[in-house]
Amino acid sequence: MNIAIIGTGYVGLVTGTCFAETGNHVICMDVVKEKISKLRKGVSPIYEPGLDSLIFKNLTTKRLNFTTSLDDAVISSNVIFLCLPTPPGADGSADLKYVKEVSEKIGRILNENSISDYKLVVTKSTVPVGTADELRDIFRKYSNARIGVASNPEFLKEGNAVQDFMFPDRVVIGVDEPQAEKILRELYEPFVRTGAPVLVMDSRSAEMVKYAANAFLATRISFMNEIARLCENLGADVEKVRTAIGYDNRIGPKFLFPGIGWGGSCFPKDVKALIKMGEQASVETAIVSAVNAVNDEQKKLIPQKVKKHFGQNLAGKKFAVWGLSFKPKTDDMREAPSIVVINELVSAGANVVAFDPVAIERAKEVFSTGKAAGLKVTSSKGVRKYGKIEFAKDQYAALKDADALILVTEWQEFREPDLNLMKKYMKEPVIFDGRNIYNPERLRELGFVYYGIGRR
Ligand code: NAD
């Protein structure tokens, strides 16, 4: 099949590359020229395990192409996937401006070129319930072409995106006509050979599936974070509680890990968008609203613990931060809890030295665009300083003369560090473990002061 991917970001690039890998001809389009020229050379603009080699392979076989021309992408394809951003608007609702603008342009392009073949436009972006219907209206308004609309929410996890796409738990297809169903079933057939179901439903239900799934996962984490706070205050250990409830078949062990709050490009915006959808439909979303509020508080928990140990004024203190991306195995900094943690520390006068295996460049972008308060960039003789934050070249360099270590993102390389070396480098052997990855007893035996989340 000839496929166009509009929006070549985390979702679009993985989707396009995986469809090319199964033999389709794919053209990925994006408005960012630098991204497209990098990709044409086989260089991935994002960090995603296993993706680089697949891009390179499919580029070489010419099944995968990249362009900045929407016209070329639309005209040469039968199926057009929208993988565009749907960021939160000022009121929390999903902003559909990219999706709507591009849809209008697609309608015009097909009309102006008098294209009569059937084209299927598929939303892979996470969009509010009713968006497929809105897009049908847009296409009717701007085009006489035969355009089908389908919803195909994406469930890949950054850091494991290629695997997730190649071996999905399920494929959800929201369609209102048999032709669209036939095309999407055929396209996904190679990915569901091991028995994963293809769930076909109306487009409104498919759109809701994605929000319900993300809100439910966020709920599990926020629930455990609330239980962790209770454990801490009542003298129980949340790790023991988590393990024990996870053995209950009705509950299961996944997404029960307490920590410093969820972030990333999906949960925060999707939870807010669901609350907004509830408001617009006059349906109270008490659970989802509480999940969001608990998370906002949770992100501030580690800075609160730091201040309890060192005092409210952190001037003259230096903190090492391990991990910046919102989770391991990605360089994605969107809504990363590290931003809140670093912000709070710097606002209280502290200096921060951070290290992350892959996200430092993206973190610099975040801190230099003013998204983190108090981190103004100064430029002098070609040296960029990020206010009170420095970026270390490795995890141990970050520890030199640090008053404490704050573990924010649980990358594998942080799990079994050289504790003796750490103690040697640090001014004070204090660890704030935001992900409960260390053994408190062992650390205390070695003379560390240890703070976890909800642990005795
Ligand atoms: P992203 O920001 O990484 O990618 C979006 C891409 O669209 C960017 O490369 C951007 O340059 C491009 N773009 C913006 N305007 C454009 C235009 N007019 N024409 C062409 N390209 C344009 O975003 P993402 O993480 O890939 O997410 C895309 C959608 O998929 C969102 O709705 C998101 O909620 C959803 N989603 C994301 C994930 C995830 O893990 N990232 C998972 C499932 C669903």
Side-chain angles (χ1 to χ4, degrees):
M1 253 182 251
N2 291 324
I3 297 170
I5 302 286
I6 314 300
T8 309
Y10 284 88
V11 167
L13 187 54
V14 172
T15 303
T17 307
C18 291
F19 279 144
E21 178 67 9
T22 49
N24 298 289
H25 282 97
V26 180
I27 181 160
C28 293
M29 183 268 163
D30 204 283
V31 282
V32 180
K33 286 188 188 130
E34 305 81 64
K35 196 176 270 193
I36 293 301
S37 44
K38 261 188 170 183
L39 282 163
R40 282 181 174 148
K41 292 179 200 138
V43 180
S44 172
I46 56 168
Y47 175 83
E48 188 57 55
L51 185 60
D52 294 54
S53 55
L54 276 189
I55 293 174
F56 189 76
K57 180 178 160 200
N58 286 285
L59 201 60
T60 317
T61 58
K62 296 197 174 15
R63 285 198 300 265
L64 185 60
N65 293 287
F66 298 98
T67 183
T68 52
S69 163
L70 184 64
D71 292 57
D72 288 354
V74 167
I75 291 168
S76 63
S77 310
N78 340 91
V79 191
I80 302 161
F81 280 88
L82 304 183
C83 302
L84 294 156
T86 47
D91 63 354
S93 61
D95 187 347
L96 286 178
K97 75 169 177 240
Y98 302 101
V99 170
K100 287 186 178 171
E101 272 169 26
V102 167
S103 298
E104 186 184 319
K105 282 185 192 161
I106 292 173
R108 286 182 192 276
I109 291 167
L110 294 176
N111 218 33
E112 282 158 15
N113 290 278
S114 310
I115 291 175
S116 55
D117 299 344
Y118 177 80
K119 302 265 182 184
L120 179 61
V121 176
V122 188
T123 47
K124 217 171 225 320
S125 300
T126 303
V127 290
V129 176
T131 302
D133 293 334
E134 286 190 56
L135 297 191
R136 281 187 193 97
D137 290 344
I138 291 177
F139 291 133
R140 266 194 290 271
K141 185 169 170 195
Y142 293 100
S143 181
N144 298 316
R146 292 194 302 134
I147 307 173
V149 176
S151 165
N152 172 219
E154 181 50 57
F155 302 100
L156 61 77
K157 300 181 290 296
E158 286 179 24
N160 200 48
V162 174
Q163 270 303 97
D164 289 344
F165 198 94
M166 290 292 194
F167 305 99
D169 292 339
R170 78 306 205 184
V171 173
V172 173
I173 290 173
V175 284
D176 295 325
E177 55 187 7
Q179 199 167 356
E181 178 181 340
K182 187 170 172 287
I183 289 172
L184 288 171
R185 276 191 184 277
E186 196 181 319
L187 209 45
Y188 276 106
E189 202 271 331
F191 303 99
V192 294
R193 286 211 172 119
T194 48
V198 176
L199 304 169
V200 180
M201 57 191 79
D202 59 281
S203 52
R204 283 181 178 248
S205 302
E207 287 161 345
M208 183 54 108
V209 169
K210 177 67 189 173
Y211 283 102
N214 274 357
F216 186 70
L217 293 172
T219 301
R220 284 177 70 107
I221 300 173
S222 278
F223 175 81
M224 278 320 287
N225 283 335
E226 195 165 274
I227 294 293
R229 281 168 181 253
L230 276 169
C231 285
E232 209 164 293
N233 279 282
L234 298 174
D237 186 333
V238 75
E239 288 303 314
K240 296 195 171 77
V241 175
R242 172 183 69 75
T243 310
I245 68 168
Y247 277 113
D248 187 322
N249 280 333
R250 294 166 303 177
I251 297 173
K254 292 182 179 168
F255 275 78
L256 288 183
F257 291 83
I260 53 173
W262 36 265
S265 64
C266 292
F267 284 11
K269 81 173 176 62
D270 294 349
V271 163
K272 287 190 192 92
L274 191 56
I275 295 168
K276 199 69 204 170
M277 268 186 261
E279 267 173 51
Q280 283 161 354
S282 304
V283 175
E284 199 190 339
T285 51
I287 293 174
V288 188
S289 300
V291 164
N292 194 45
V294 167
N295 196 53
D296 285 345
E297 279 311 299
Q298 196 69 13
K299 288 184 185 172
K300 295 181 195 147
L301 189 64
I302 286 282
Q304 281 162 5
K305 284 174 188 267
V306 171
K307 287 177 193 167
K308 203 166 168 196
H309 181 95
F310 289 101
Q312 292 298 315
N313 185 353
L314 299 176
K317 298 287 174 203
K318 182 170 158 183
F319 296 104
V321 169
W322 280 4
L324 292 163
S325 55
F326 85 92
K327 67 173 183 177
K329 294 202 280 178
T330 179
D331 57 355
D332 200 338
M333 283 294 295
R334 289 178 282 187
E335 300 267 351
S338 66
I339 300 172
V340 177
V341 171
I342 291 173
N343 249 345
E344 294 277 325
L345 298 176
V346 169
S347 304
N351 289 294
V352 169
V353 186
F355 173 74
D356 187 285
V358 301
I360 287 180
E361 288 313 309
R362 285 196 192 262
K364 284 180 183 173
E365 286 166 23
V366 171
F367 294 128
S368 62
T369 50
K371 283 189 191 143
L375 295 170
K376 290 196 186 89
V377 184
T378 48
S379 204
S380 141
K381 293 181 188 153
V383 179
R384 292 197 105 191
K385 288 186 185 165
Y386 298 82
K388 292 182 147 201
I389 175 168
E390 287 172 46
F391 297 95
K393 67 176 187 335
D394 65 56
Q395 67 194 77
Y396 295 104
L399 294 174
K400 287 199 178 124
D401 299 323
D403 290 279
L405 164 66
I406 300 166
L407 185 285
V408 173
T409 315
E410 69 280 30
W411 283 88
Q412 287 291 12
E413 49 262 72
F414 299 153
R415 286 181 182 267
E416 293 288 339
D418 183 336
L419 296 169
N420 291 319
L421 192 62
M422 286 170 70
K423 217 174 150 196
K424 203 172 106 189
Y425 282 157
M426 293 172 76
K427 197 154 115 199
E428 287 190 53
V430 183
I431 295 183
F432 295 89
D433 179 0
R435 303 288 179 178
N436 286 357
I437 63 171
Y438 297 123
N439 180 332
E441 282 81 35
R442 186 157 170 244
L443 286 174
R444 285 181 190 130
E445 273 164 28
L446 288 170
F448 282 89
V449 177
Y450 175 86
Y451 296 95
I453 309 279
R455 299 177 108 173
R456 278 162 72 91

